[in-house]
C-alpha cells in the first residue's frame, strides 16, 4: 500500500494556552510526550456509522487513555469556518463586467458544498500556531481550483453530468463554452488571489505554497489523474491503477490544502510531511467513501447523479473490492490518518481528527 510509510516521531512542548481562531471553548490540558489521543476527544454529536467504526485500533485507543481531553464542538467549528470561507469567496469574485462569465464563476463557486479543502487548509495552519487570516487567500484559491475541476469534470467531453450540488451543472446553466471559460478563469484567479492577498505571509513561503498548489493541479497532479481516468474507461483496471487515479485526481488537492496551510502557518519540514501524509490518507478516504455512496445512495441524497460511474463502466473500489472490503479499506485509511496526527498537540489537532471522521461518515 502506497501509504504504509511513516515518518520518525518528534516531540512538542507542553501546551500552556490555545486559542483556535473564532473557537474559544477548549480546555487547557498539560501534555507529556504526544501520543495517539482521539479516544479521549469527544465530539458533541454521536457517531453511529458502520463505515467508520472502529475509528482506532485497540492498541492506539489504549495509548490514549492517559490524556483527558475536552469536548470538541466539531459541527460548530465547521459552521464557523464555512461561514468565514463563504464570505471570503463572495468578496473574491464580485459581479462585474463581463457579467456572464462572473455569473458563471459565482454560480458554481458559491453553490454551497462542504468546503472541506479550505477548512483543511485553515485547520492545518492553526495546528502549527498560525492565524486563520494568514491562510484565507490560499483557502479561497484551493476552493476556486476545486470548483474549476468540478465544472470541467461535468462537461460532456469528460463525465457528461447534468447535476452538481443539487443544481444543473455549469454547462447546463450557461452553455459549454462559458463553462470552460469559467473554469479557466477560476484557475487563473486562484493564483492571482494568492499573490495579491497573501501580504501577511513571507514571500518565500508564498512562493513555496504556490509551487505546491501548482504541482497538485497540473500534469503531475489532478490533470494526471483525470487523464488516466479517461484512458481507463471501459477497460480492466487494477487496484494500483485505481489508486493512482484517485491519489492524483482527488487526494493531491487535499494534500496541497493541508501542506499550504502548514507552510503559511510557519510549520517546519517534519510538520509539513506529517500533514502531507495525513491529507493523502483522507484524500483517498474521501474517494473510497464517494465510490461507496455512489452505489448506496440516490441522486436526491447525493445532490449529483448516483450510479454514474457504474453505468459508464468506470472502475471503483466497491466494483474491484466489494462493498465490505471497500469499507474496511476506508477504516484503514482513517486509522492511518489519525496516526499521522499523534505527534501534534491534541487540542490543536482536534479539528483534523474530526475532519477525518467527518469524511468517513459523510452521507453525500
Amino acid at each position: 500500500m502506497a501509504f504504509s510509510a511513516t515518518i520518525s516521531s518528534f516531540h512538542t512542548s507542553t501546551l500552556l494556552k490555545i486559542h483556535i481562531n473564532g473557537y474559544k471553548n477548549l480546555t487547557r490540558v498539560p501534555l507529556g510526550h504526544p501520543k495517539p489521543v482521539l479516544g479521549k476527544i469527544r465530539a458533541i454529536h454521536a457517531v453511529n456509522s458502520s463505515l467508520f467504526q472502529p475509528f482506532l485500533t485497540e492498541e492506539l485507543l489504549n495509548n490514549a487513555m492517559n490524556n483527558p481531553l475536552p469536548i470538541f464542538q466539531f459541527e460548530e467549528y465547521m459552521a464557523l469556518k464555512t461561514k468565514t470561507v463563504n464570505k471570503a469567496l463572495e468578496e473574491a469574485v464580485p459581479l462585474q463586467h463581463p457579467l456572464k462569465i462572473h455569473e458563471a464563476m459565482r454560480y458554481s463557486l458559491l453553490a454551497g458544498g462542504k468546503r472541506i479543502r479550505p477548512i483543511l487548509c485553515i485547520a492545518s495552519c492553526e495546528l502549527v500556531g498560525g492565524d486563520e487570516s494568514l491562510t484565507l487567500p490560499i483557502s479561497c484559491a484551493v476552493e476556486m481550483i476545486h470548483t474549476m475541476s468540478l465544472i470541467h469534470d461535468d462537461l460532456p467531453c469528460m463525465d457528461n453530468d447534468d447535476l452538481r450540488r443539487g443544481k444543473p451543472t455549469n454547462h447546463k446553466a450557461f452553455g459549454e463554452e462559458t463553462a470552460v471559460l469559467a473554469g479557466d478563469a477560476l484557475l487563473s484567479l486562484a493564483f492571482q488571489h494568492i499573490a495579491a492577498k497573501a501580504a501577511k505571509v513571507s514571500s518565500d513561503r508564498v512562493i513555496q505554497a504556490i509551487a505546491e498548489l501548482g504541482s497538485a493541479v497540473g500534469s503531475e497532479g489532478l490533470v494526471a489523474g483525470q487523464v488516466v481516468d479517461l484512458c481507463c474507461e471501459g477497460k480492466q483496471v487494477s487496484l494500483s491503477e485505481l489508486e493512482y487515479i484517485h491519489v492524483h485526481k482527488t487526494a493531491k488537492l487535499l494534500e496541497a490544502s493541508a501542506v499550504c496551510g502548514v507552510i503559511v502557518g510557519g510549520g517546519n519540514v517534519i510538520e509539513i510531511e506529517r500533514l502531507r501524509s495525513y491529507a493523502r490518507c483522507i484524500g483517498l478516504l474521501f474517494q473510497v467513501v464517494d465510490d461507496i455512496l455512489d452505489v448506496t445512495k440516490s441522486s436526491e441524497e447525493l445532490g449529483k447523479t448516483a450510479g454514474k460511474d457504474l453505468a459508464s463502466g468506470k472502475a471503483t473500489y466497491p466494483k474491484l473490492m466489494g462493498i465490505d472490503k471497500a469499507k474496511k479499506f476506508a477504516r484503514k485509511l482513517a486509522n492511518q490518518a489519525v496516526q499521522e496526527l499523534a505527534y501534534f498537540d491534541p487540542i490543536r489537532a482536534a479539528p483534523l481528527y474530526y475532519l477525518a471522521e467527518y469524511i468517513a461518515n459523510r452521507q453525500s
Side-chain angles (χ1 to χ4, degrees):
M1 175 51 58
F3 306 115
S4 60
T6 58
I7 301 169
S8 57
S9 63
F10 63 96
H11 301 311
T12 56
S13 61
T14 298
L15 178 67
L16 298 177
K17 186 176 181 181
I18 178 68
H19 175 194
I20 294 179
N21 294 299
Y23 189 88
K24 302 178 183 179
N25 299 324
L26 291 175
T27 305
R28 184 176 63 182
V29 293
L31 299 172
H33 294 316
K35 299 176 182 178
V37 293
L38 186 59
K40 296 297 286 183
I41 299 176
R42 291 289 180 263
I44 213 70
H45 60 287
V47 177
N48 298 312
S49 169
S50 61
L51 170 62
F52 201 67
Q53 302 297 337
F55 187 82
L56 292 176
T57 64
E58 184 177 353
E59 180 182 359
L60 287 176
L61 191 59
N62 288 339
N63 285 339
M65 298 308 289
N66 295 326
N67 285 329
L69 292 169
I71 287 173
F72 182 70
Q73 296 174 319
F74 179 71
E75 291 178 357
E76 180 184 327
Y77 178 88
M78 288 292 286
L80 181 67
K81 298 304 183 187
T82 298
K83 184 178 179 181
T84 299
V85 169
N86 286 342
K87 182 176 183 292
L89 290 171
E90 174 85 31
E91 293 171 353
V93 189
L95 273 177
Q96 57 186 333
H97 182 77
L99 195 60
K100 186 174 183 179
I101 190 64
H102 289 98
E103 285 178 338
M105 292 164 69
R106 288 168 59 90
Y107 176 83
S108 294
L109 185 65
L110 305 179
K114 305 170 189 69
R115 306 305 191 204
I116 287 175
R117 291 155 191 82
I119 292 174
L120 173 58
C121 189
I122 293 169
S124 299
C125 178
E126 292 174 335
L127 176 68
V128 296
D131 188 83
E132 175 186 272
S133 63
L134 296 175
T135 192
L136 270 181
I138 293 180
S139 297
C140 288
V142 165
E143 192 66 9
M144 291 174 192
I145 291 171
H146 174 56
T147 302
M148 172 278 296
S149 74
L150 299 181
I151 293 172
H152 285 179
D153 199 46
D154 289 336
L155 288 168
C157 62
M158 304 286 269
D159 277 1
N160 192 24
D161 222 326
D162 297 339
L163 192 66
R164 174 70 67 178
R165 292 173 175 169
K167 298 169 60 177
T169 48
N170 198 287
H171 68 274
K172 287 293 182 181
F174 293 92
E176 289 181 38
E177 299 89 345
T178 300
V180 170
L181 293 172
D184 292 346
L186 284 169
L187 179 59
S188 59
L189 177 61
F191 292 98
Q192 176 189 341
H193 192 68
I194 296 171
K197 300 295 183 180
K200 296 181 181 179
V201 182
S202 65
S203 58
D204 60 326
R205 287 188 177 264
V206 171
I207 291 169
Q208 188 180 357
I210 288 173
E212 182 74 33
L213 197 53
S215 174
V217 73
S219 62
E220 296 179 349
L222 189 154
V223 170
Q226 185 70 64
V227 167
V228 176
D229 191 24
L230 289 170
C231 292
C232 287
E233 281 189 18
K235 298 179 181 178
Q236 291 292 327
V237 176
S238 68
L239 274 173
S240 62
E241 289 170 326
L242 184 62
E243 183 178 300
Y244 178 91
I245 290 169
H246 292 313
V247 163
H248 290 77
K249 189 176 176 181
T250 302
K252 280 284 190 179
L253 189 55
L254 281 155
E255 184 181 324
S257 302
V259 168
C260 287
V262 177
I263 290 170
V264 301
N268 61 41
V269 172
I270 296 175
E271 290 167 333
I272 287 171
E273 292 311 312
R274 281 207 175 276
L275 261 293
R276 186 187 300 282
S277 297
Y278 162 83
R280 183 165 291 200
C281 287
I282 66 166
L284 191 54
L285 172 65
F286 189 97
Q287 187 60 51
V288 176
V289 173
D290 211 50
D291 285 355
I292 293 169
L293 293 176
D294 189 60
V295 295
T296 59
K297 297 290 183 179
S298 67
S299 297
E300 290 73 23
E301 290 173 308
L302 295 177
K304 59 182 180 180
T305 307
K308 190 164 181 61
D309 288 343
L310 190 63
S312 62
K314 282 192 174 185
T316 66
Y317 283 98
K319 182 177 179 180
L320 295 187
M321 305 173 76
I323 291 286
D324 290 341
K325 286 187 178 179
K327 288 181 178 181
K328 288 179 181 178
F329 184 41
R331 286 195 291 270
K332 179 180 178 181
L333 289 167
N335 257 4
Q336 200 160 341
V338 166
Q339 291 179 58
E340 294 299 339
L341 296 177
Y343 297 93
F344 291 99
D345 180 270
I347 297 181
R348 280 200 173 114
L352 294 169
Y353 281 123
Y354 278 95
L355 185 60
E357 181 182 323
Y358 172 78
I359 289 171
N361 284 297
R362 67 191 182 92
Q363 299 299 309
S364 64

